[in-house]
Amino acid sequence: MTAAARLRRSVPRRPLAVLLVAVAFAAVSQSLAPKGLPASRPDPVDIDAPLSIDAAVPVATIDDVERIRANIAFWSDRARRSPRDFISATRWAESEIELARATGDVEAYVIADEAITAALAVDAAYAPALGDRGVVLVALHRFREAVEHASAVLADRPDDPVALGTLGDGALELGDLVTARTAYQRLATVDPSAAALVRQGHLAFIGGDPATALDAARRAVTAAMDEGAIGPALAWYHYQLGEVSTATGDAAAGREAYTAALAADPSSWLARSGLARLAAADGDLDVAIGYLDAAIARVPLPEFHARRADLADLRGGPGDAARSADDRATVLAIAQLGGVAASVRDRQLSLYLASHGLQPERALRLAEADIALRKDVYGYDALAWALLANGRSTEAQQAMDQALASGTQDARLRYHAGMIAIAEGHVAIGRERLQAALDLDPTFDAWDVARIRAILSSAP
């Protein structure tokens, strides 16, 4: 199987603008400590096929987790029994990556990294392990290492689609749009797949070209179906179309795409999160909370808990105050977790703390730590928001100018820019930006939208 063919079977990394924060579950794979092989052997595998260039997309439903854990037990046992068995070590890593995608277990990526390191120590040129290394580096937000790794692979194999995807992904997260564009253009030439289209679409969105982003998202769905994508993989492309449609002001098309995602994969927690946002924007808080209940039952991401807490506060029904308090306590408890996975959550946690007036100093520390790793549009936005929460509006404006420099048409950016302008005394400009946020995408966040409407309804 060629590298291009393997890439067509893969699913691209989730765009930054819609990344969900991963929960650091207990590393279930470590508790297996297999003393023998699983009762049934895993399905036959192609030992020469690297897993995927994606680092974050769920490619398995919750019903697959038992199978994934059995595979982890099988491959880890083989790798531990034969330390020079680099193929088993690689398959162990790939099973850990699959577990991370299915459950949000960031620590599984850490274990995968260790297994890949062991595999490459035996055969430094083993292509599947090299491809998986890029997956893990991006997933763990080690973006500079990802770029260096992909560049080294491309020095030997300039048309390697997996490395091209990793290079573009890492560069984009670092704010290097030129390198990302070059890598993605080459990827589209080497393998004009759904994976390449989604990447180009996201780059267009970041660069302030929503029309191109939407066109790419639509074509990616068609390409994915032509490539034979089914289940979670196809659902993910529909979900991406829903995100881009909604972000560009077409909530009806967004709802259609999310519904199609749920039809492709009835267990899709991503689709439910999108439908929850749209229901909340329509004022159907009961329906929205119901969607989040179902999503959390599948994958309890702290972002979902935070959204549900906000919706419970907005609804204000019997027991909602207690439910909201429980969800916020869950988010803050997750925030206390340390380890490698902690940095993966820094940006979203900073935004959450700043938006709700909780621990503003910590919000700023997290934003500063995040921007030190990746100086991209959303990193500067998070920094600006945290600075504003600490009363440092002039510095916030400077960071916001950086966030807006690429022309990204994002309602949340406009909202933050408007609030900062008001804090700086530019009330008319601030109100214009707040209205622009509503005009662009009134579904982006029910809590923030309620705040915008309250400000705009008050006297200037």
Side-chain angles (χ1 to χ4, degrees), residues 9 11 58-59 61 224-225 227-237 263-265:
R9 294 192 339 183
V11 183
V59 295
T61 68
M225 291 189 289
E227 293 163 12
I230 60 173
L234 180 58
W236 187 82
Y237 285 105
D265 174 18

Side-chain angles (χ1 to χ4, degrees), residues 47-91:
I47 63 174
D48 292 321
L51 186 65
S52 168
I53 53 179
D54 168 49
V57 178
V59 295
T61 68
I62 200 69
D63 297 328
D64 288 325
V65 172
E66 184 176 351
R67 172 189 58 79
I68 297 170
R69 290 175 177 167
N71 284 347
I72 289 173
F74 175 74
W75 293 115
S76 63
D77 181 72
R78 285 181 57 132
R80 287 165 176 155
R81 289 173 181 272
S82 303
R84 294 194 61 78
D85 183 356
F86 60 90
I87 292 175
S88 291
T90 301
R91 285 305 177 188

